[in-house]
Every structure is written in structure tokens, then in C-alpha cells.
mmCIF file of all heavy atoms in Angstrom:
data_model
loop_
_atom_site.group_PDB
_atom_site.id
_atom_site.type_symbol
_atom_site.label_atom_id
_atom_site.label_comp_id
_atom_site.label_asym_id
_atom_site.label_seq_id
_atom_site.Cartn_x
_atom_site.Cartn_y
_atom_site.Cartn_z
ATOM 1 N N ASN A 14 237.626 -6.798 42.490
ATOM 2 C CA ASN A 14 238.136 -7.477 41.293
ATOM 3 C C ASN A 14 238.123 -6.571 40.064
ATOM 4 O O ASN A 14 238.631 -6.969 39.014
ATOM 5 C CB ASN A 14 237.288 -8.716 40.965
ATOM 6 C CG ASN A 14 237.466 -9.834 41.970
ATOM 7 O OD1 ASN A 14 238.412 -9.828 42.753
ATOM 8 N ND2 ASN A 14 236.566 -10.806 41.960
ATOM 9 N N HIS A 15 237.535 -5.374 40.184
ATOM 10 C CA HIS A 15 237.263 -4.576 39.002
ATOM 11 C C HIS A 15 237.601 -3.101 39.196
ATOM 12 O O HIS A 15 237.766 -2.627 40.318
ATOM 13 C CB HIS A 15 235.770 -4.692 38.631
ATOM 14 C CG HIS A 15 235.268 -6.085 38.554
ATOM 15 N ND1 HIS A 15 235.521 -6.914 37.494
ATOM 16 C CD2 HIS A 15 234.532 -6.816 39.436
ATOM 17 C CE1 HIS A 15 234.959 -8.099 37.713
ATOM 18 N NE2 HIS A 15 234.349 -8.055 38.884
ATOM 19 N N SER A 16 237.617 -2.386 38.106
ATOM 20 C CA SER A 16 237.671 -0.935 38.131
ATOM 21 C C SER A 16 236.282 -0.400 38.459
ATOM 22 O O SER A 16 235.291 -0.821 37.864
ATOM 23 C CB SER A 16 238.111 -0.414 36.752
ATOM 24 O OG SER A 16 237.608 0.868 36.494
ATOM 25 N N ALA A 17 236.208 0.528 39.412
ATOM 26 C CA ALA A 17 234.912 1.119 39.766
ATOM 27 C C ALA A 17 234.280 1.823 38.569
ATOM 28 O O ALA A 17 233.061 1.794 38.391
ATOM 29 C CB ALA A 17 235.081 2.097 40.925
ATOM 30 N N LEU A 18 235.100 2.454 37.731
ATOM 31 C CA LEU A 18 234.576 3.134 36.542
ATOM 32 C C LEU A 18 233.937 2.134 35.588
ATOM 33 O O LEU A 18 232.841 2.376 35.063
ATOM 34 C CB LEU A 18 235.691 3.893 35.825
ATOM 35 C CG LEU A 18 235.316 4.543 34.483
ATOM 36 C CD1 LEU A 18 234.169 5.528 34.651
ATOM 37 C CD2 LEU A 18 236.536 5.229 33.864
ATOM 38 N N LYS A 19 234.592 0.992 35.381
ATOM 39 C CA LYS A 19 234.036 0.002 34.466
ATOM 40 C C LYS A 19 232.741 -0.587 35.008
ATOM 41 O O LYS A 19 231.780 -0.823 34.250
ATOM 42 C CB LYS A 19 235.051 -1.115 34.206
ATOM 43 C CG LYS A 19 234.625 -2.087 33.113
ATOM 44 C CD LYS A 19 234.366 -1.353 31.793
ATOM 45 C CE LYS A 19 233.958 -2.315 30.684
ATOM 46 N NZ LYS A 19 233.541 -1.591 29.465
ATOM 47 N N VAL A 20 232.675 -0.808 36.315
ATOM 48 C CA VAL A 20 231.434 -1.305 36.919
ATOM 49 C C VAL A 20 230.320 -0.288 36.725
ATOM 50 O O VAL A 20 229.185 -0.634 36.363
ATOM 51 C CB VAL A 20 231.635 -1.607 38.420
ATOM 52 C CG1 VAL A 20 230.291 -1.919 39.096
ATOM 53 C CG2 VAL A 20 232.584 -2.788 38.605
ATOM 54 N N ALA A 21 230.629 0.982 36.945
ATOM 55 C CA ALA A 21 229.627 2.035 36.764
ATOM 56 C C ALA A 21 229.124 2.069 35.327
ATOM 57 O O ALA A 21 227.908 2.192 35.085
ATOM 58 C CB ALA A 21 230.214 3.387 37.154
ATOM 59 N N GLU A 22 230.021 1.965 34.363
ATOM 60 C CA GLU A 22 229.598 2.006 32.964
ATOM 61 C C GLU A 22 228.805 0.761 32.585
ATOM 62 O O GLU A 22 227.809 0.853 31.856
ATOM 63 C CB GLU A 22 230.819 2.185 32.061
ATOM 64 C CG GLU A 22 231.459 3.554 32.211
ATOM 65 C CD GLU A 22 232.406 3.906 31.088
ATOM 66 O OE1 GLU A 22 233.075 2.982 30.555
ATOM 67 O OE2 GLU A 22 232.491 5.082 30.742
ATOM 68 N N ASN A 23 229.226 -0.406 33.075
ATOM 69 C CA ASN A 23 228.470 -1.629 32.801
ATOM 70 C C ASN A 23 227.033 -1.504 33.292
ATOM 71 O O ASN A 23 226.071 -1.848 32.585
ATOM 72 C CB ASN A 23 229.135 -2.830 33.484
ATOM 73 C CG ASN A 23 230.379 -3.300 32.767
ATOM 74 O OD1 ASN A 23 230.588 -3.013 31.593
ATOM 75 N ND2 ASN A 23 231.227 -4.042 33.474
ATOM 76 N N PHE A 24 226.877 -1.000 34.509
ATOM 77 C CA PHE A 24 225.537 -0.962 35.098
ATOM 78 C C PHE A 24 224.734 0.244 34.629
ATOM 79 O O PHE A 24 223.500 0.201 34.639
ATOM 80 C CB PHE A 24 225.633 -1.056 36.627
ATOM 81 C CG PHE A 24 225.766 -2.480 37.090
ATOM 82 C CD1 PHE A 24 226.994 -3.132 37.038
ATOM 83 C CD2 PHE A 24 224.658 -3.194 37.503
ATOM 84 C CE1 PHE A 24 227.119 -4.459 37.413
ATOM 85 C CE2 PHE A 24 224.765 -4.526 37.890
ATOM 86 C CZ PHE A 24 226.005 -5.161 37.844
ATOM 87 N N ARG A 25 225.396 1.293 34.188
ATOM 88 C CA ARG A 25 224.649 2.377 33.535
ATOM 89 C C ARG A 25 224.107 1.896 32.185
ATOM 90 O O ARG A 25 223.004 2.275 31.789
ATOM 91 C CB ARG A 25 225.550 3.603 33.349
ATOM 92 C CG ARG A 25 225.542 4.522 34.551
ATOM 93 C CD ARG A 25 226.013 5.920 34.212
ATOM 94 N NE ARG A 25 225.351 6.887 35.068
ATOM 95 C CZ ARG A 25 225.595 8.186 35.036
ATOM 96 N NH1 ARG A 25 226.489 8.684 34.191
ATOM 97 N NH2 ARG A 25 224.949 9.017 35.841
ATOM 98 N N MET A 26 224.867 1.085 31.506
ATOM 99 C CA MET A 26 224.375 0.525 30.249
ATOM 100 C C MET A 26 223.178 -0.384 30.509
ATOM 101 O O MET A 26 222.165 -0.328 29.788
ATOM 102 C CB MET A 26 225.484 -0.242 29.533
ATOM 103 C CG MET A 26 225.050 -0.886 28.215
ATOM 104 S SD MET A 26 224.473 0.334 26.999
ATOM 105 C CE MET A 26 226.074 0.964 26.432
ATOM 106 N N LEU A 27 223.276 -1.222 31.550
ATOM 107 C CA LEU A 27 222.151 -2.086 31.904
ATOM 108 C C LEU A 27 220.913 -1.262 32.255
ATOM 109 O O LEU A 27 219.794 -1.585 31.845
ATOM 110 C CB LEU A 27 222.540 -2.984 33.084
ATOM 111 C CG LEU A 27 223.403 -4.196 32.760
ATOM 112 C CD1 LEU A 27 224.078 -4.743 34.010
ATOM 113 C CD2 LEU A 27 222.569 -5.281 32.096
ATOM 114 N N GLU A 28 221.114 -0.189 33.009
ATOM 115 C CA GLU A 28 219.996 0.665 33.398
ATOM 116 C C GLU A 28 219.409 1.380 32.185
ATOM 117 O O GLU A 28 218.198 1.636 32.118
ATOM 118 C CB GLU A 28 220.452 1.671 34.451
ATOM 119 C CG GLU A 28 219.351 2.503 35.062
ATOM 120 C CD GLU A 28 218.413 1.703 35.970
ATOM 121 O OE1 GLU A 28 218.811 0.613 36.435
ATOM 122 O OE2 GLU A 28 217.277 2.167 36.193
ATOM 123 N N THR A 29 220.249 1.696 31.208
ATOM 124 C CA THR A 29 219.771 2.321 29.975
ATOM 125 C C THR A 29 218.914 1.350 29.170
ATOM 126 O O THR A 29 217.875 1.703 28.621
ATOM 127 C CB THR A 29 220.964 2.793 29.111
ATOM 128 O OG1 THR A 29 221.719 3.758 29.843
ATOM 129 C CG2 THR A 29 220.496 3.409 27.812
ATOM 130 N N LEU A 30 219.360 0.104 29.107
ATOM 131 C CA LEU A 30 218.636 -0.915 28.352
ATOM 132 C C LEU A 30 217.350 -1.353 29.046
ATOM 133 O O LEU A 30 216.327 -1.605 28.394
ATOM 134 C CB LEU A 30 219.540 -2.139 28.139
ATOM 135 C CG LEU A 30 220.759 -1.952 27.236
ATOM 136 C CD1 LEU A 30 221.676 -3.168 27.336
ATOM 137 C CD2 LEU A 30 220.330 -1.734 25.790
ATOM 138 N N PHE A 31 217.404 -1.439 30.390
ATOM 139 C CA PHE A 31 216.268 -1.971 31.161
ATOM 140 C C PHE A 31 215.986 -1.051 32.355
ATOM 141 O O PHE A 31 216.210 -1.428 33.509
ATOM 142 C CB PHE A 31 216.570 -3.396 31.632
ATOM 143 C CG PHE A 31 217.067 -4.301 30.543
ATOM 144 C CD1 PHE A 31 218.426 -4.589 30.420
ATOM 145 C CD2 PHE A 31 216.191 -4.851 29.616
ATOM 146 C CE1 PHE A 31 218.889 -5.408 29.397
ATOM 147 C CE2 PHE A 31 216.649 -5.673 28.595
ATOM 148 C CZ PHE A 31 218.003 -5.955 28.485
ATOM 149 N N PRO A 32 215.517 0.151 32.102
ATOM 150 C CA PRO A 32 215.342 1.150 33.169
ATOM 151 C C PRO A 32 214.410 0.690 34.279
ATOM 152 O O PRO A 32 213.364 0.105 34.025
ATOM 153 C CB PRO A 32 214.772 2.367 32.433
ATOM 154 C CG PRO A 32 214.202 1.827 31.153
ATOM 155 C CD PRO A 32 215.047 0.660 30.787
ATOM 156 N N GLY A 33 214.866 0.926 35.517
ATOM 157 C CA GLY A 33 214.029 0.614 36.672
ATOM 158 C C GLY A 33 213.980 -0.837 37.069
ATOM 159 O O GLY A 33 213.210 -1.211 37.957
ATOM 160 N N ARG A 34 214.821 -1.685 36.442
ATOM 161 C CA ARG A 34 214.768 -3.126 36.753
ATOM 162 C C ARG A 34 216.098 -3.691 37.229
ATOM 163 O O ARG A 34 216.200 -4.897 37.493
ATOM 164 C CB ARG A 34 214.327 -3.920 35.514
ATOM 165 C CG ARG A 34 212.887 -3.697 35.083
ATOM 166 C CD ARG A 34 212.568 -4.571 33.880
ATOM 167 N NE ARG A 34 212.817 -5.966 34.150
ATOM 168 C CZ ARG A 34 213.101 -6.877 33.220
ATOM 169 N NH1 ARG A 34 213.183 -6.529 31.940
ATOM 170 N NH2 ARG A 34 213.302 -8.135 33.546
ATOM 171 N N ILE A 35 217.122 -2.846 37.366
ATOM 172 C CA ILE A 35 218.467 -3.359 37.604
ATOM 173 C C ILE A 35 218.917 -3.149 39.047
ATOM 174 O O ILE A 35 218.800 -2.055 39.605
ATOM 175 C CB ILE A 35 219.478 -2.682 36.646
ATOM 176 C CG1 ILE A 35 219.101 -2.962 35.191
ATOM 177 C CG2 ILE A 35 220.897 -3.149 36.939
ATOM 178 C CD1 ILE A 35 219.068 -4.443 34.810
ATOM 179 N N ASP A 36 219.438 -4.222 39.651
ATOM 180 C CA ASP A 36 220.039 -4.173 40.982
ATOM 181 C C ASP A 36 221.543 -4.397 40.857
ATOM 182 O O ASP A 36 221.978 -5.324 40.158
ATOM 183 C CB ASP A 36 219.475 -5.270 41.887
ATOM 184 C CG ASP A 36 218.005 -5.068 42.218
ATOM 185 O OD1 ASP A 36 217.557 -3.910 42.238
ATOM 186 O OD2 ASP A 36 217.316 -6.079 42.473
ATOM 187 N N LEU A 37 222.314 -3.567 41.530
ATOM 188 C CA LEU A 37 223.760 -3.764 41.616
ATOM 189 C C LEU A 37 224.094 -4.213 43.029
ATOM 190 O O LEU A 37 224.199 -3.413 43.951
ATOM 191 C CB LEU A 37 224.503 -2.469 41.269
ATOM 192 C CG LEU A 37 226.011 -2.433 41.548
ATOM 193 C CD1 LEU A 37 226.736 -3.602 40.902
ATOM 194 C CD2 LEU A 37 226.612 -1.106 41.087
ATOM 195 N N GLY A 38 224.211 -5.531 43.219
ATOM 196 C CA GLY A 38 224.662 -6.083 44.485
ATOM 197 C C GLY A 38 226.177 -6.097 44.478
ATOM 198 O O GLY A 38 226.796 -6.567 43.523
ATOM 199 N N ILE A 39 226.782 -5.578 45.549
ATOM 200 C CA ILE A 39 228.235 -5.393 45.600
ATOM 201 C C ILE A 39 228.817 -6.166 46.771
ATOM 202 O O ILE A 39 228.320 -6.109 47.897
ATOM 203 C CB ILE A 39 228.575 -3.896 45.784
ATOM 204 C CG1 ILE A 39 227.964 -3.054 44.665
ATOM 205 C CG2 ILE A 39 230.085 -3.691 45.845
ATOM 206 C CD1 ILE A 39 227.940 -1.568 44.956
ATOM 207 N N GLY A 40 229.902 -6.905 46.504
ATOM 208 C CA GLY A 40 230.616 -7.614 47.554
ATOM 209 C C GLY A 40 232.099 -7.313 47.490
ATOM 210 O O GLY A 40 232.579 -6.704 46.539
ATOM 211 N N ARG A 41 232.820 -7.733 48.523
ATOM 212 C CA ARG A 41 234.269 -7.503 48.525
ATOM 213 C C ARG A 41 235.082 -8.783 48.670
ATOM 214 O O ARG A 41 236.301 -8.736 48.795
ATOM 215 C CB ARG A 41 234.650 -6.522 49.623
ATOM 216 C CG ARG A 41 234.263 -6.929 51.034
ATOM 217 C CD ARG A 41 234.828 -5.940 52.028
ATOM 218 N NE ARG A 41 234.215 -6.070 53.343
ATOM 219 C CZ ARG A 41 234.640 -5.411 54.429
ATOM 220 N NH1 ARG A 41 235.674 -4.605 54.332
ATOM 221 N NH2 ARG A 41 234.026 -5.555 55.582
ATOM 222 N N ALA A 42 234.414 -9.942 48.667
ATOM 223 C CA ALA A 42 235.140 -11.212 48.704
ATOM 224 C C ALA A 42 235.798 -11.471 47.352
ATOM 225 O O ALA A 42 235.420 -10.867 46.343
ATOM 226 C CB ALA A 42 234.177 -12.344 49.056
ATOM 227 N N PRO A 43 236.777 -12.361 47.279
ATOM 228 C CA PRO A 43 237.441 -12.631 45.996
ATOM 229 C C PRO A 43 236.539 -13.282 44.956
ATOM 230 O O PRO A 43 236.772 -13.150 43.762
ATOM 231 C CB PRO A 43 238.584 -13.581 46.382
ATOM 232 C CG PRO A 43 238.793 -13.370 47.839
ATOM 233 C CD PRO A 43 237.440 -13.058 48.398
ATOM 234 N N GLY A 44 235.486 -13.995 45.407
ATOM 235 C CA GLY A 44 234.678 -14.740 44.445
ATOM 236 C C GLY A 44 235.442 -15.936 43.918
ATOM 237 O O GLY A 44 235.236 -16.374 42.790
ATOM 238 N N GLY A 45 236.311 -16.466 44.747
ATOM 239 C CA GLY A 45 237.185 -17.580 44.369
ATOM 240 C C GLY A 45 238.411 -17.532 45.250
ATOM 241 O O GLY A 45 238.313 -17.323 46.454
ATOM 242 N N ASP A 46 239.592 -17.665 44.656
ATOM 243 C CA ASP A 46 240.821 -17.605 45.433
ATOM 244 C C ASP A 46 241.534 -16.268 45.229
ATOM 245 O O ASP A 46 241.262 -15.528 44.291
ATOM 246 C CB ASP A 46 241.751 -18.759 45.039
ATOM 247 C CG ASP A 46 242.057 -18.741 43.544
ATOM 248 O OD1 ASP A 46 242.976 -17.997 43.142
ATOM 249 O OD2 ASP A 46 241.378 -19.460 42.786
ATOM 250 N N ARG A 47 242.465 -15.967 46.106
ATOM 251 C CA ARG A 47 243.139 -14.659 46.068
ATOM 252 C C ARG A 47 244.052 -14.510 44.855
ATOM 253 O O ARG A 47 244.249 -13.398 44.364
ATOM 254 C CB ARG A 47 243.940 -14.441 47.346
ATOM 255 C CG ARG A 47 243.079 -14.036 48.534
ATOM 256 C CD ARG A 47 243.886 -13.242 49.534
ATOM 257 N NE ARG A 47 243.024 -12.582 50.502
ATOM 258 C CZ ARG A 47 243.413 -11.562 51.262
ATOM 259 N NH1 ARG A 47 244.640 -11.081 51.140
ATOM 260 N NH2 ARG A 47 242.601 -11.011 52.136
ATOM 261 N N ILE A 48 244.617 -15.602 44.387
ATOM 262 C CA ILE A 48 245.485 -15.518 43.211
ATOM 263 C C ILE A 48 244.673 -15.058 42.005
ATOM 264 O O ILE A 48 245.074 -14.167 41.248
ATOM 265 C CB ILE A 48 246.156 -16.877 42.931
ATOM 266 C CG1 ILE A 48 247.114 -17.233 44.071
ATOM 267 C CG2 ILE A 48 246.901 -16.852 41.594
ATOM 268 C CD1 ILE A 48 247.736 -18.610 43.952
ATOM 269 N N THR A 49 243.494 -15.675 41.826
ATOM 270 C CA THR A 49 242.622 -15.276 40.718
ATOM 271 C C THR A 49 242.195 -13.824 40.866
ATOM 272 O O THR A 49 242.183 -13.064 39.889
ATOM 273 C CB THR A 49 241.387 -16.191 40.666
ATOM 274 O OG1 THR A 49 241.804 -17.555 40.570
ATOM 275 C CG2 THR A 49 240.517 -15.851 39.469
ATOM 276 N N ALA A 50 241.856 -13.420 42.091
ATOM 277 C CA ALA A 50 241.431 -12.040 42.327
ATOM 278 C C ALA A 50 242.547 -11.058 41.984
ATOM 279 O O ALA A 50 242.302 -9.997 41.408
ATOM 280 C CB ALA A 50 240.996 -11.869 43.782
ATOM 281 N N ALA A 51 243.778 -11.407 42.323
ATOM 282 C CA ALA A 51 244.912 -10.533 42.024
ATOM 283 C C ALA A 51 245.144 -10.420 40.521
ATOM 284 O O ALA A 51 245.565 -9.374 40.020
ATOM 285 C CB ALA A 51 246.165 -11.049 42.719
ATOM 286 N N LEU A 52 244.873 -11.493 39.792
ATOM 287 C CA LEU A 52 245.024 -11.454 38.339
ATOM 288 C C LEU A 52 243.893 -10.666 37.680
ATOM 289 O O LEU A 52 244.102 -10.001 36.665
ATOM 290 C CB LEU A 52 245.079 -12.874 37.779
ATOM 291 C CG LEU A 52 246.348 -13.675 38.123
ATOM 292 C CD1 LEU A 52 246.190 -15.127 37.694
ATOM 293 C CD2 LEU A 52 247.565 -13.059 37.457
ATOM 294 N N LEU A 53 242.702 -10.740 38.252
ATOM 295 C CA LEU A 53 241.582 -9.966 37.721
ATOM 296 C C LEU A 53 241.839 -8.466 37.867
ATOM 297 O O LEU A 53 241.497 -7.679 37.003
ATOM 298 C CB LEU A 53 240.290 -10.342 38.449
ATOM 299 C CG LEU A 53 239.662 -11.676 38.059
ATOM 300 C CD1 LEU A 53 238.614 -12.091 39.091
ATOM 301 C CD2 LEU A 53 239.035 -11.600 36.679
ATOM 302 N N ASN A 54 242.439 -8.090 38.979
ATOM 303 C CA ASN A 54 242.745 -6.682 39.238
ATOM 304 C C ASN A 54 244.093 -6.602 39.948
ATOM 305 O O ASN A 54 244.159 -6.695 41.178
ATOM 306 C CB ASN A 54 241.651 -6.041 40.097
ATOM 307 C CG ASN A 54 241.910 -4.564 40.346
ATOM 308 O OD1 ASN A 54 242.850 -3.984 39.808
ATOM 309 N ND2 ASN A 54 241.077 -3.952 41.170
ATOM 310 N N PRO A 55 245.177 -6.435 39.193
ATOM 311 C CA PRO A 55 246.516 -6.419 39.794
ATOM 312 C C PRO A 55 246.724 -5.336 40.848
ATOM 313 O O PRO A 55 247.632 -5.443 41.675
ATOM 314 C CB PRO A 55 247.429 -6.178 38.578
ATOM 315 C CG PRO A 55 246.664 -6.726 37.427
ATOM 316 C CD PRO A 55 245.233 -6.387 37.727
ATOM 317 N N SER A 56 245.881 -4.293 40.859
ATOM 318 C CA SER A 56 246.026 -3.235 41.860
ATOM 319 C C SER A 56 245.275 -3.549 43.151
ATOM 320 O O SER A 56 245.308 -2.768 44.107
ATOM 321 C CB SER A 56 245.533 -1.897 41.292
ATOM 322 O OG SER A 56 244.138 -1.941 41.038
ATOM 323 N N ASN A 57 244.598 -4.681 43.203
ATOM 324 C CA ASN A 57 243.818 -5.076 44.373
ATOM 325 C C ASN A 57 244.744 -5.394 45.548
ATOM 326 O O ASN A 57 245.540 -6.330 45.479
ATOM 327 C CB ASN A 57 242.962 -6.298 44.018
ATOM 328 C CG ASN A 57 242.042 -6.725 45.152
ATOM 329 O OD1 ASN A 57 241.982 -6.102 46.202
ATOM 330 N ND2 ASN A 57 241.304 -7.804 44.926
ATOM 331 N N ASP A 58 244.638 -4.625 46.625
ATOM 332 C CA ASP A 58 245.448 -4.905 47.814
ATOM 333 C C ASP A 58 244.622 -5.532 48.938
ATOM 334 O O ASP A 58 245.112 -5.706 50.060
ATOM 335 C CB ASP A 58 246.164 -3.650 48.312
ATOM 336 C CG ASP A 58 245.198 -2.546 48.747
ATOM 337 O OD1 ASP A 58 243.965 -2.798 48.790
ATOM 338 O OD2 ASP A 58 245.667 -1.437 49.033
ATOM 339 N N PHE A 59 243.348 -5.848 48.659
ATOM 340 C CA PHE A 59 242.454 -6.558 49.580
ATOM 341 C C PHE A 59 242.206 -5.783 50.876
ATOM 342 O O PHE A 59 241.827 -6.367 51.890
ATOM 343 C CB PHE A 59 242.992 -7.956 49.907
ATOM 344 C CG PHE A 59 243.178 -8.827 48.704
ATOM 345 C CD1 PHE A 59 244.425 -8.954 48.105
ATOM 346 C CD2 PHE A 59 242.117 -9.506 48.139
ATOM 347 C CE1 PHE A 59 244.607 -9.742 46.980
ATOM 348 C CE2 PHE A 59 242.285 -10.301 47.011
ATOM 349 C CZ PHE A 59 243.531 -10.417 46.433
ATOM 350 N N SER A 60 242.400 -4.477 50.882
ATOM 351 C CA SER A 60 242.204 -3.685 52.095
ATOM 352 C C SER A 60 240.811 -3.067 52.118
ATOM 353 O O SER A 60 240.218 -2.787 51.070
ATOM 354 C CB SER A 60 243.248 -2.576 52.198
ATOM 355 O OG SER A 60 243.011 -1.555 51.241
ATOM 356 N N GLU A 61 240.303 -2.834 53.319
ATOM 357 C CA GLU A 61 238.997 -2.186 53.456
ATOM 358 C C GLU A 61 239.057 -0.748 52.966
ATOM 359 O O GLU A 61 238.100 -0.237 52.381
ATOM 360 C CB GLU A 61 238.535 -2.219 54.907
ATOM 361 C CG GLU A 61 237.163 -1.572 55.104
ATOM 362 C CD GLU A 61 236.573 -1.817 56.470
ATOM 363 O OE1 GLU A 61 236.568 -2.984 56.911
ATOM 364 O OE2 GLU A 61 236.106 -0.841 57.092
#
């Protein structure tokens, strides 16, 4: 659903604010329906 760069920056900021306490759990499901997922990330082709 997201840009990998933006996820990295979000979680680097979290790690900066709260060092040693942050977990990045990653999934590949839509987190809802496919239409919403496509709108969140128009380049998402749902491929492995």
C-alpha cells in the first residue's frame, strides 16, 4: 500500500524518537479491499 522509502523514513523517525523500542511488522494483504489498496498506491500490482 506504500512507498518503501516512505515506510523506511517513517520507521527511522520512530526509531530516532524511541530507540530500541520499535517493531516494524510487515504484511502484504490489502488491509481492506483491493480497490482501496489500489488507491493507496496506484503502482500496486499485487504481485509477489
Side-chain angles (χ1 to χ4, degrees):
N14 290 345
H15 310 283
S16 152
L18 174 58
K19 188 58 179 173
V20 171
E22 292 196 326
N23 284 340
F24 277 80
R25 272 200 149 178
M26 179 61 78
L27 281 162
E28 187 70 20
T29 299
L30 293 170
F31 310 101
R34 292 182 56 206
I35 300 300
D36 293 332
L37 170 53
I39 303 165
R41 58 174 165 173
D46 57 84
R47 282 206 166 198
I48 294 175
T49 304
L52 291 171
L53 284 165
N54 182 5
S56 65
N57 184 3
D58 62 7
F59 301 97
S60 71
E61 181 169 312

